């Protein structure tokens, strides 16, 4: 169990354990779709999750009832393609502070490494596409540059952030994210479509950082 960082919240700022959505048992081989609305001490979260052969798509909307410090434990061993669509926050991870603003993206791998963040706004929306390390490494192969260094950390089980500065979500990437959230298919065709879009977005994100 990862150990939460020491409480460095400003005086009077409440701290909560951030609610995470772990991979449920059985979804490694059997696709699943889950939608939830949860009322939590720090607000309401609406989530949609799609589990597909070692890949998971997580779409969340948080409606906070105040400004808090939240501890995220990162218990799952997954590589996160992270897309912030709405809202701003500050993440404290591996001794560094990362500002997160709307319409930016990055790639994060932090298994068993607790981090904290503070929400700067009351409404946030994110999309995260998560790959099991073996799936991510099989798809990316042996890239060079910063992606190669990041892949090496994933292969070695070492927490890492692809880039210190997140990139802007351009029109093409924004369109692909919209398509993955609003697929025009159902059943097995939807499963195949979401798989293909997940890999397409992995290529688009990787290319953006390699340029």
């Amino acid at each position: 169990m990862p150990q939460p960082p020491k409480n460095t919240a400003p005086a009077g700022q409440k701290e909560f354990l951030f609610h995470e959505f772990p991979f449920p048992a059985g979804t490694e081989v059997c696709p699943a779709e889950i939608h939830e609305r949860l009322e939590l001490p720090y607000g309401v979260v609406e989530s949609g999750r799609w589990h597909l052969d070692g890949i998971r798509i997580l779409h969340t909307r948080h409606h906070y009832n105040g400004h808090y410090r939240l501890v995220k434990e990162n218990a799952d061993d997954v590589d996160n393609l992270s897309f912030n669509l709405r809202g701003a926050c500050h993440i404290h991870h591996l001794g560094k502070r990362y500002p997160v603003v709307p319409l930016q993206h990055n790639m994060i791998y932090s298994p068993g490494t607790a981090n904290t963040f503070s929400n700067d706004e009351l409404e946030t929306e994110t999309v995260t596409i998560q790959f099991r390390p073996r799936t991510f490494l099989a798809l990316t192969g042996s890239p060079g540059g910063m992606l190669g260094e990041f892949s090496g950390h994933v292969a070695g089980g070492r927490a890492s952030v692809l880039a210190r500065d997140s990139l802007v979500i351009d029109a093409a990437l924004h369109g692909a994210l919209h398509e993955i959230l609003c697929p025009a298919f159902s059943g097995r065709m939807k499963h195949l479509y979401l798989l293909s879009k997940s890999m397409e977005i992995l290529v688009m994100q990787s290319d953006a950082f390699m340029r």
Side-chain angles (χ1 to χ4, degrees):
M1 176 71 68
Q3 295 299 311
K6 293 181 180 179
N7 189 349
T8 58
Q13 185 181 39
K14 291 184 178 179
E15 178 176 290
F16 294 102
L17 185 65
F18 186 72
H19 181 85
E20 298 187 69
F21 298 93
F23 268 86
T27 58
E28 294 297 322
V29 294
C30 178
E33 181 172 339
I34 304 168
H35 295 272
E36 287 183 301
R37 183 182 187 276
L38 301 173
E39 294 187 7
L40 302 169
Y42 51 82
V44 174
V45 57
E46 300 170 317
S47 75
R49 308 194 302 283
W50 297 263
H51 301 262
L52 320 151
D53 304 329
I55 301 173
R56 177 171 69 167
I57 302 164
L58 174 60
H59 177 218
T60 57
R61 291 189 180 97
H62 282 87
H63 311 279
Y64 294 101
N65 55 30
H67 295 276
Y68 303 115
R69 170 187 160 97
L70 297 131
V71 178
K72 191 171 185 292
E73 292 189 330
N74 301 305
D76 272 342
D77 186 10
V78 291
D79 176 44
N80 298 276
L81 314 189
S82 180
F83 304 91
N84 189 52
L85 302 182
R86 182 163 56 110
C89 69
H90 284 83
I91 298 174
H92 301 268
H93 181 61
L94 299 177
K96 296 180 180 179
R97 183 174 182 268
Y98 297 88
V100 179
V101 301
L103 297 178
Q104 286 194 340
H105 66 103
N106 211 327
M107 198 177 292
I108 304 165
Y109 180 65
S110 53
T113 304
N115 59 11
T116 65
F117 69 93
S118 300
N119 62 305
D120 297 336
E121 299 182 22
L122 298 182
E123 302 287 331
T124 66
E125 180 179 8
T126 61
V127 173
T128 306
I129 302 177
Q130 297 178 322
F131 291 81
R132 289 295 194 192
R134 62 178 180 275
T135 305
F136 174 79
L137 295 170
L139 290 171
T140 56
S142 302
M146 62 192 308
L147 184 60
E149 182 179 353
F150 180 81
S151 296
H153 291 161
V154 174
R158 301 186 301 276
S160 182
V161 177
L162 178 59
R164 177 65 180 84
D165 298 315
S166 297
L167 295 183
V168 173
I169 298 174
D170 62 20
L173 191 49
H174 195 277
L177 291 168
H178 175 76
E179 290 170 355
I180 211 170
L181 296 177
C182 304
F185 301 96
S186 60
R188 185 62 183 172
M189 288 300 294
K190 181 177 181 179
H191 174 70
L192 293 173
Y193 180 78
L194 292 176
L195 273 177
S196 68
K197 295 303 291 187
S198 297
M199 289 184 279
E200 177 187 352
I201 290 171
L202 171 60
V203 171
M204 295 172 73
Q205 185 179 42
S206 300
D207 179 63
F209 279 100
M210 293 288 284
R211 284 186 227 147

